[in-house]
Amino acid sequence: MFGRGGRRLWETHPWKWSLCMSTGKAVAADVIAQTVVERKTPAELDTRRMLVWASFGAVYGGTMCHGIYQVLFPRLFPAATAANVLRMNALDNFVNTPFIFFPTFYAIKEAILGGGGLDDAWAKYRAEVWEGCVASWYIWIPAHLLTFGVVPVYLRISFATVVSFFFY
C-alpha cells in the first residue's frame, strides 16, 4: 500500500482512499479525545459520538471533499497558478466551510445524537457558524495554500485529513 503500490492506489482510486482515510481519521481522533483528553476507559467510550464522527468523515471528508478538491477544483482551475490557488482557497473557506461543511456536520450530529431534527440542526448552525468559521480560517487559509498550491491533486484529501487530525 505504500511506495509505488500505495501511490497507484491514491492515483487510481482517490475516492476510495479519501473515504477510508477521512473516516478512519475521524474515528481515531475521537477515540484519542475520549481516552486521552476525557480519560474514558474503552468500556466508557461514547459509540454514538464515534458514529457521528465516522459518518461525518465518510460523508463530508471522504465524499464531498473528494468531489470538491479532486474533481471540481481541478476542472475549474486546472493549473496551480497563484491566482487559482487563491480562488480555490477562497471558495473552500468562504463558500464550502460555511455552507457545506458546517450544515453537514450539524445535520449528521443532530440526526445521530440530538433527535431534534433539522430545525434543531439549523438553530445550532446559525448560533455557532460564525465562531466556527473564524476558528477554521486560522488553520485552513494557510493550510490550503499548500493543499491547492503544492500538494498533488490525488493527495489533497490525505493532506487535509492529516491537518484536520490536529485541528478538530
Side-chain angles (χ1 to χ4, degrees), residues 6 9 17 31-32 39 44 55 71 81 107 122 129 145 152 168:
L9 176 65
W17 181 256
V31 168
I32 290 169
R39 304 223 183 262
E44 296 172 318
S55 300
V71 178
T81 64
W122 175 244
V129 68
L145 293 174
Y168 295 113

Side-chain angles (χ1 to χ4, degrees), residues 40-67:
K40 292 181 180 179
T41 66
E44 296 172 318
L45 291 177
D46 184 344
T47 55
R48 288 182 59 209
R49 187 174 104 179
M50 288 169 48
L51 180 60
V52 168
W53 287 109
S55 300
F56 184 69
V59 171
Y60 179 78
T63 303
M64 292 177 165
C65 281
H66 165 72

Side-chain angles (χ1 to χ4, degrees), residues 59-134:
V59 171
Y60 179 78
T63 303
M64 292 177 165
C65 281
H66 165 72
I68 295 166
Y69 297 177
Q70 294 175 306
V71 178
L72 180 64
F73 281 179
R75 288 182 185 160
L76 294 176
F77 311 106
T81 64
N84 282 345
V85 169
L86 292 176
R87 287 180 186 110
M88 288 183 276
N89 203 335
L91 282 171
D92 188 69
N93 281 287
F94 303 114
V95 177
N96 178 34
T97 297
F99 301 113
I100 298 173
F101 173 87
F102 281 112
T104 302
F105 174 73
Y106 285 111
I108 289 171
K109 183 179 177 188
E110 194 60 34
I112 295 171
L113 294 180
L118 289 178
D119 288 341
D120 285 351
W122 175 244
K124 288 176 184 174
Y125 163 79
R126 285 193 339 238
E128 299 174 8
V129 68
W130 177 250
E131 184 180 337
C133 283
V134 171

